[in-house]
Structures are given as C-alpha cells and as structure tokens.
Amino acid sequence: MTELIWDGKYGPDGKKTSPVRLALPFQDVETVNESAQTRNLMLDLFARNQPGEWRNRLIWGDKKYVLPSLLPEFAGKIDLIYIDPPFATGADFSYSAEVPVDLDKEGEQGISFTKQPSIIEQKAYRDTWGNGTDSYAQWFYETLALLHELLAEDGNIFVHLGWQVSAIIKCLLDEVFGLDNLRNEIIWQRFNFHADANRFGTVHETLWYYVRGEAAPFNKQYMPVKDSLIQSHYTGMDADGRRYTLDNPTAPAHGKTGKSMRFGDKSLSPPPGAMWRWKQENIDRLWAEGKVVFNESGMPRVKRYLDETEGTAVHSIWTDVRAINSQAAERMNYPTQKPEALLERIIKASSNEGDLVLDCFAGSGTTAAVAEKLNRRWITADLGRFAIHTTRKRLLSIPDVRPFVVQNLGKYERQAWQSAEFGEDDQKAALAQARYRKFILDLYGAQPLNGYNYLHGLKAGRMVHVGSVDAPVLPGDIDAVTEEFWKAVGTDSGAATNSVDILGWDFAFELNEMGKQKAAAANLNLTFKRIPREVLEKKAVQQGDIRFFELAALDADISCHPGRTVSVTLKDFIISPQDVPRDVQAAITHWSQWIDYWAIDWDYKGDTFHNQWQSYRTKKEPRLQTSATSTYAFPGEHTIVIKVIDILGNDTTKSIPVNAQ
Ligand SMILES: C[S@@+](CC[C@H](N)C(=O)[O-])C[C@H]1O[C@@H](n2cnc3c(N)ncnc32)[C@H](O)[C@@H]1O
C-alpha cells in the first residue's frame, strides 16, 4: 500500500501514535421536549439501573474526548457519519453574535459583532494546525481511526473538505478505510463563480464517500429533469398532453447472439451486434401498458413518460445545491454552515429511517437538523459553546422535534485532568488536593493560606475558596465558608476586609443570589467566579491567558394565581461584559438585550434541567418574551428552574420554590 508519512505519525518506538482512548461518562446537562410522563419513566428506569428510551444527543466537547467516550456504547453501531471538520482558517471558530438595538422598534436591525475564538477554540485550532499539515494529518488520522471503530460494518461515511487538504485526507482515508471501500469522490459546486486573481476561480468543495464494507446501503437519488433536457429529449406528446421520450430497448451483445423476443404478436430479432435489454415478461408488461411503439424502420421503442420518471440520477458532480445565501430561512449566521439540501441528499442516499447518524463537528447543527427531519436518530458534538447553543435553538425550531439531551463530559473530564496532573494515589489524596488548590490559586493570583478547611487563599485582602473539580459549590459550602471566616477574623489570617471570592467549576442553581443574601446577613461579602475550562489546557495556562469571570446575576419574579397557575417574569440580568466590544455595550439600553434565550423547568426534580418552555430570538422574531405562565396538574410544592443563555452562549441558572394552590 502507498503510505503517507508525516512528522509525528510514528513515535520514537517506531509505533504509530494512537489517539487518546480514555472513555469518560457523559453528563446530562439538559433534556429538551420530554413529556412529564416520559421523564418520570426515565427517572424510574434510571433508579433501577435500566436503560431508558433512546434520546438523540447534542454533546459539548472536543472530539478527542467525545469519540473515545462514545466507543463503549456505540462501537460498530453508527450507520452514517458525516463530518465537516475545520479545514483551513481560524474562521471555523469565530462567529458573529447579534443584539437587537431597541426592543420597542419592530424590524430594527441589530448590531452584529464578531466573537473571537475562546482559548479552548484557539487551542483546538493550534492542535489542528500548530505544526502545519503534519499536525493536521495526525489530528485527522486519530479522528478517522476512532470513527472507523464507531462505524457499523454496513455503515457509510462522508468526509467534507476544502480543495486545500482534500488530497492529503484522501490518503488517510485509504489507509484507515481501504481504497476498496472508496465509493465516490463528490465534487460539490458551491458557487457559480468566484473571483480569484491568478488562477481559475475556485467554486467547489470535495466530499470523500467511503464505506466500511460491501453491505453499506445506497439509495439512488434523483434530481428534477432540467428544462433543456425536456425540450431536447421529451419531444413526444400523447393526445392528452403527456410528454414522453422514446427509449431504445437494445444493448450491445458483446459477441453473443441476441435472442428474438415477442412484441405483441410479432417475434423480432435484435439488430446485428445487439440484444434486447429486457426479459420477455417485462416486454409483455410494457406492451400491455401500451408503451411499446415502432419506429419508421419497424424497430420497437419504449415510451418513457416525463410524469413517471423519478428524475435524473444524481452523479458525482453536484451542481444543483447552492451555498446558503444571506436571506435563506435556514441561515443561522454560522460562518461555515452548510445547506440542508446537501445533508438531505447524503442522509437519504446512505441511510434509512431510524438509522443512527453521527457528526462530531456540529457547527450550526445542519446534520442533526436534517437527520431529525428525515426521522433518523442522531448524535452530534462540537467543542464550541456557541455551536451547541446555535444547534439547540435550531433543533427547537423544528416542529415536533423529538426529545433530545444536551450532554458534556463535565466533571469526569476534570477528574481525569486532576488525577493526571496532581496524582491519584488514595493515600496521598490530601496532598493532591492541596497541589490542585495551589495551582488554581496561582492562576488566580492568590497566596495559599494554611490551617483552614474552606478558606484556601488570600488575594488583595480578600479570602479565596477553591471549589472541588467533582461537585458544584453548594449552599452548605457557603455556610462552612461563613463560619470559618468569622472564626478566622481577629486572627493573623491577613484578611483586610469581610470579603471572600468563591471560585468554582459549577455552582448550585440558586447559589449566586441566595448565597450572597445569606452571606450578607452574616455581614460577609461574597463574589462568585467561574474557574474557566481553559485551566485544563497546558498551553493556555503557560501563556497566562486564564480569566475568571464573575457569574451573571439573574432576577425573576414569581406570581401564583388561583387554579395552580404560576407566572415567571424576568426582572434583571447582569453579565460581566468583558467579551463584548465597547460599542455593543454602549448600544445595550435594557438588560434583556443581553439575553438570547431562556428556558424553564416548571417542576425540577433534582436530576437534569428539563426544558419545558423556552423563548429565544430568531432572525424572524428577534423579540424575546420576558414572562411565561404554567398550570400545575396537582397542588403543592414545586421547584422552578430558570436557565438563561446570554448573547455569548454562556448560561446562568436560578431555582425558585413555589407553592401552587
Ligand atoms: C466547518 S464547521 C462545521 C459546520 C457545520 N457542518 C454546519 O453546517 O454548520 C466545523 C466545526 O467543528 C468544530 N470543531 C473544531 N475542532 C473541533 C474539535 N476538536 N472537536 C469538536 N468540534 C470541533 C468547530 O467549533 C466548528 O463548529
């Protein structure tokens, strides 16, 4: 076999560098569109450790961790894979966000701004391109190796690439899937023209279509017959106006002698060197349908009616699918979004209803949206927070979208990182914890503080608490911090104020406001800051790029009405606007402009956030509802959880107890 070699393909031991194979459990962050009955059933099955019903899955994470984590459940079970990975520019990671200028002016144009790639996204970009095509080839090779394991024996895979890298990746595909399993090189002509100064205008992208084995299904696809073909070929017309073309029923005989066949009451031999294309029973059927006619030389011809044709078979050059234009209804404002018509063709051609489709570079969620509409099951992942949010909104806008779950690798990814970085020996767990805390305190610019259980550091006269990797900061932690703080005051701890910074990976829903109120009652000033996921990335840490942002604050009113009816009204929302350009900040005159989407779980059960109602901005409807009402089936205590996603894709959650009577 011809082999492509790149720097890094083989390690010093002469063995191929293999992908990360750590399989981590997925955490459910949110379920969407699930009925209350199904939710209860799922909770029940979960409690009895039994598998629940299938849920489509939207996963926030790097394919490097997501793909190996899918292996235990899905190795050999994916029917169709479509991937559209980043293939050239940083544009793959930046996106534009929009704020409506004035909520009271209908149709007002919003201000768009480009959100620069986050550290995680930049890191992924460096992983991919840091060492040019060498690192890109390695990154891709590892992806393909895992995808090969996930693909079913009769599975199909489409790899979508730009012309810049398509030749390199073809060699990798041959190596992983085998040249014999190449079904097509598809050229997708995106544009009609492209202005390139010193070369032919580049108007296409490439899709490599491979299978894992012979049995992979293929459903022929057709496109409407072009007008020009109708005019040139469908020249016959019946008295009732039906257009037809005449088909020649012979094929080359390749040295054999063609047998004679009956056409009505005539027995006819094929012309010399030819044979009849059909069996006698097919000819009899066409004859009975009145579709056989004779030309001037007495040779039979078969009428092919235009209204009976499935269309023109699609070949390997696709010119009939256009790139998404700026006004298209499906446009999500995602720079690399692909048209639904493209995915529709791929999914229809190479899978059947109920099949499982995977795309680990979701972007705006085109694959999942089309799979959903075509009644396939789907799993899609992306490392970009905004991609996940865009996909969620897109799926929600599909009428009757089936329930799906939003997942990440959350605390498992952090635990894996913690043990790799700070040790996992049970005997030395306390030491490992101390090393972990010191690491976070260093990044935060705080000095470690010894002798306390909950107060771990000191920064500019403020005490600092560092949350653990595997649990959210809980109200109990706040009580403990408060208690310990007052014990420490008056000692030589060094605290100059009554302030504590609480650093956490996750926070209990109600913690921000409730914790602050509780602490204020104890005369303590608390600030909650999120430990950013960038902390897990060595390079980001080395570069000192880590920023700890304060949690957004959300205020909402609940009003209870007779008949077990409850209304939620958003009252205020404050975010730290560091990521937003100044002109955009200046254009924001009302707090609700920071909000892109919000959702309510009316009856939170302490498991996963269950999205039962939502309002979000779309191009067509940029206005947001700021209140919602629901009626409970039974009176009593319930917990309402509100989740807000801001225009940058970050979420803030708040829980409020209600007593519906
Ligand atoms: C070309 S775009 C996909 C566009 C998509 N086909 C659509 O129609 O919207 C590539 C996507 O891959 C994501 N991505 C890049 N590297 C990744 C990685 N290592 N793991 C997961 N997603 C990644 C980017 O965030 C981006 O959304």
Side-chain angles (χ1 to χ4, degrees):
M1 187 192 74
T2 316
E3 187 186 355
L4 184 74
I5 306 282
W6 57 88
D7 195 11
K9 180 170 183 178
Y10 290 94
D13 55 0
K15 291 197 181 134
K16 279 187 192 166
T17 315
S18 49
V20 172
R21 289 203 159 264
L22 185 67
L24 302 169
F26 290 100
Q27 276 188 291
D28 289 354
V29 179
E30 180 177 335
T31 61
V32 184
N33 245 14
E34 194 166 83
S35 70
Q37 291 92 314
T38 317
R39 178 190 205 177
N40 288 336
L41 177 75
M42 296 287 266
L43 276 173
D44 186 43
L45 290 171
F46 181 75
R48 289 191 278 125
N49 223 355
Q50 287 182 11
E53 263 175 51
W54 169 259
R55 287 280 165 272
N56 292 323
R57 292 157 77 155
L58 170 59
I59 305 171
W60 180 29
D62 192 318
K63 62 88 193 165
K64 178 164 92 179
Y65 298 113
V66 171
L67 295 179
S69 302
L70 287 172
L71 279 174
E73 201 179 340
F74 295 105
K77 295 207 176 128
I78 308 281
D79 300 299
L80 168 63
I81 296 173
Y82 164 85
I83 53 166
D84 171 24
F87 50 69
T89 64
D92 284 309
F93 295 108
S94 54
Y95 60 84
S96 53
E98 189 160 304
V99 226
V101 178
D102 186 340
L103 294 176
D104 294 325
K105 286 192 198 149
E106 201 119 354
E108 181 87 345
Q109 276 289 309
I111 292 190
S112 284
F113 63 96
T114 302
K115 162 83 177 64
Q116 292 312 319
S118 72
I119 305 287
I120 294 174
E121 290 158 345
Q122 288 172 24
K123 154 80 169 49
Y125 182 68
R126 277 195 306 263
D127 268 5
T128 329
W129 283 107
N131 197 14
T133 41
D134 283 321
S135 52
Y136 189 66
Q138 182 61 30
W139 180 88
F140 222 109
Y141 187 69
E142 291 176 6
T143 313
L144 292 179
L146 295 167
L147 290 177
H148 184 259
E149 282 181 53
L150 286 164
L151 194 61
E153 288 297 332
D154 59 354
N156 283 301
I157 175 167
F158 288 76
V159 176
H160 186 147
L161 297 160
W163 54 276
Q164 303 92 326
V165 292
S166 117
I168 297 180
I169 303 309
K170 160 77 167 63
C171 299
L172 305 189
L173 280 157
D174 285 347
E175 186 170 335
V176 177
F177 286 87
L179 182 55
D180 291 347
N181 289 324
L182 167 63
R183 281 219 169 145
N184 279 117
E185 173 187 21
I186 296 162
I187 302 298
W188 172 42
Q189 183 185 334
R190 298 181 63 179
F191 307 114
N192 273 336
F193 73 96
H194 197 266
D196 286 322
N198 55 0
R199 59 181 179 203
F200 299 110
T202 307
V203 291
H204 78 284
E205 286 174 5
T206 300
L207 289 124
W208 293 111
Y209 168 25
Y210 281 73
V211 293
R212 199 165 153 182
E214 264 304 291
F218 180 73
N219 310 317
K220 227 175 188 166
Q221 297 299 298
Y222 296 89
M223 47 189 177
V225 181
K226 280 191 183 146
D227 268 352
S228 53
L229 193 75
I230 297 176
Q231 299 309 330
S232 61
H233 282 70
Y234 287 85
T235 46
M237 193 179 287
D238 279 351
D240 58 3
R242 287 182 85 194
R243 271 182 178 271
Y244 62 82
T245 183
L246 289 177
D247 202 1
N248 182 348
T250 62
H254 298 301
K256 292 185 196 151
T257 313
K259 281 201 287 184
S260 357
M261 297 272 184
R262 252 181 312 100
F263 290 82
D265 52 6
K266 288 187 203 167
S267 175
L268 293 177
S269 307
M275 54 196 259
W276 299 120
R277 266 201 282 156
W278 293 299
K279 292 190 183 134
Q280 185 62 54
E281 65 250 40
N282 288 343
I283 296 177
D284 291 347
R285 181 177 47 79
L286 291 164
W287 182 267
E289 288 170 0
K291 287 184 177 160
V292 180
V293 293
F294 293 95
N295 68 8
E296 286 145 7
S297 346
M299 274 295 124
R301 291 286 180 266
V302 174
K303 280 183 174 179
R304 295 279 173 218
Y305 285 100
L306 180 60
D307 58 17
E308 283 179 359
T309 169
E310 288 184 275
T312 307
V314 173
H315 294 117
S316 60
I317 300 186
W318 296 358
T319 55
D320 58 327
V321 178
R322 283 280 155 265
I324 297 170
N325 73 53
S326 59
Q327 300 310 314
E330 67 185 83
R331 190 180 174 84
M332 302 298 297
N333 262 347
Y334 203 87
T336 52
Q337 180 182 351
K338 301 300 177 292
E340 292 200 1
L342 186 83
L343 268 298
E344 201 177 301
R345 177 165 294 165
I346 292 169
I347 293 177
K348 281 184 174 166
S350 56
S351 69
N352 296 308
E353 288 203 6
D355 278 358
L356 181 54
V357 180
L358 169 70
D359 178 354
C360 57
F361 302 100
S364 63
T366 313
T367 308
V370 178
E372 175 68 31
K373 291 178 190 171
L374 295 177
N375 215 8
R376 271 60 170 177
R377 293 173 300 138
W378 50 265
I379 300 174
T380 196
D382 201 289
L383 60 70
R385 183 193 285 278
F386 198 71
I388 296 301
H389 178 49
T390 307
T391 302
R392 170 175 33 210
K393 282 211 308 191
R394 182 173 189 170
L395 289 162
L396 276 168
S397 70
I398 299 175
D400 298 324
V401 61
R402 288 164 298 172
F404 65 94
V405 53
V406 185
Q407 299 184 313
N408 64 16
L409 294 166
K411 70 173 181 188
Y412 301 109
E413 191 182 358
R414 300 197 295 262
Q415 281 168 341
W417 164 81
Q418 192 183 37
S419 24
E421 291 290 318
F422 308 105
E424 52 189 332
D425 181 351
D426 277 355
Q427 305 290 313
K428 300 193 182 120
L431 272 178
Q433 273 297 327
R435 277 200 295 269
Y436 153 73
R437 286 198 197 107
K438 174 157 184 339
F439 177 80
I440 301 288
L441 290 168
D442 279 352
L443 290 175
Y444 188 56
Q447 299 296 323
L449 195 61
N450 294 320
Y452 300 96
N453 291 324
Y454 291 89
L455 300 171
H456 304 126
L458 192 65
K459 180 179 180 180
R462 299 172 69 88
M463 299 280 217
V464 182
H465 168 83
V466 180
S468 80
V469 292
D470 41 17
V473 180
L474 298 167
D477 296 321
I478 303 304
D479 294 341
V481 164
T482 311
E483 198 177 312
E484 201 165 76
F485 182 88
W486 288 117
K487 270 196 206 144
V489 167
T491 67
D492 57 358
S493 69
T497 65
N498 63 341
S499 306
V500 183
D501 293 342
I502 309 282
L503 311 182
W505 295 91
D506 282 320
F507 295 86
F509 289 156
E510 64 282 20
L511 203 74
N512 197 3
E513 292 76 25
M514 202 195 78
K516 274 185 182 155
Q517 281 165 17
K518 230 168 148 180
N523 194 20
L524 192 63
N525 171 293
L526 293 184
T527 307
F528 295 94
K529 293 192 176 175
R530 207 181 279 283
I531 303 175
R533 196 184 160 278
E534 282 80 348
V535 163
L536 311 190
E537 311 292 356
K538 270 208 170 70
K539 276 222 172 89
V541 169
Q542 280 158 7
Q543 287 178 353
D545 287 337
I546 308 292
R547 290 160 83 190
F548 294 68
F549 290 120
E550 214 178 311
L551 288 197
L554 173 65
D555 189 14
D557 261 3
I558 302 280
S559 45
C560 298
H561 314 284
R564 308 179 306 279
T565 297
V566 173
S567 305
V568 172
T569 305
L570 297 185
K571 285 289 168 204
D572 201 3
F573 182 65
I574 305 163
I575 69 171
S576 3
Q578 288 96 327
D579 267 359
V580 186
R582 277 181 194 285
D583 54 335
V584 176
Q585 288 181 40
I588 292 194
T589 50
H590 192 267
W591 54 264
S592 65
Q593 285 168 285
W594 288 116
I595 303 179
D596 185 56
Y597 164 107
W598 68 293
I600 303 178
D601 184 346
W602 294 102
D603 201 7
Y604 178 67
K605 297 270 203 300
D607 54 333
T608 304
F609 177 82
H610 186 77
N611 183 335
Q612 295 177 311
W613 176 95
Q614 67 279 324
S615 171
Y616 52 91
R617 301 182 196 282
T618 60
K619 237 183 331 144
K620 223 164 122 202
E621 184 45 74
R623 294 166 74 84
L624 195 77
Q625 284 182 52
T626 49
S627 63
T629 299
S630 176
T631 300
Y632 288 96
F634 303 101
E637 304 276 346
H638 302 271
T639 302
I640 293 178
V641 173
I642 306 168
K643 181 180 214 169
V644 167
I645 300 190
D646 63 38
I647 52 176
L648 301 169
N650 300 307
D651 54 274
T652 302
T653 318
K654 184 181 178 84
S655 85
I656 307 174
V658 284
N659 191 351
Q661 294 303 331

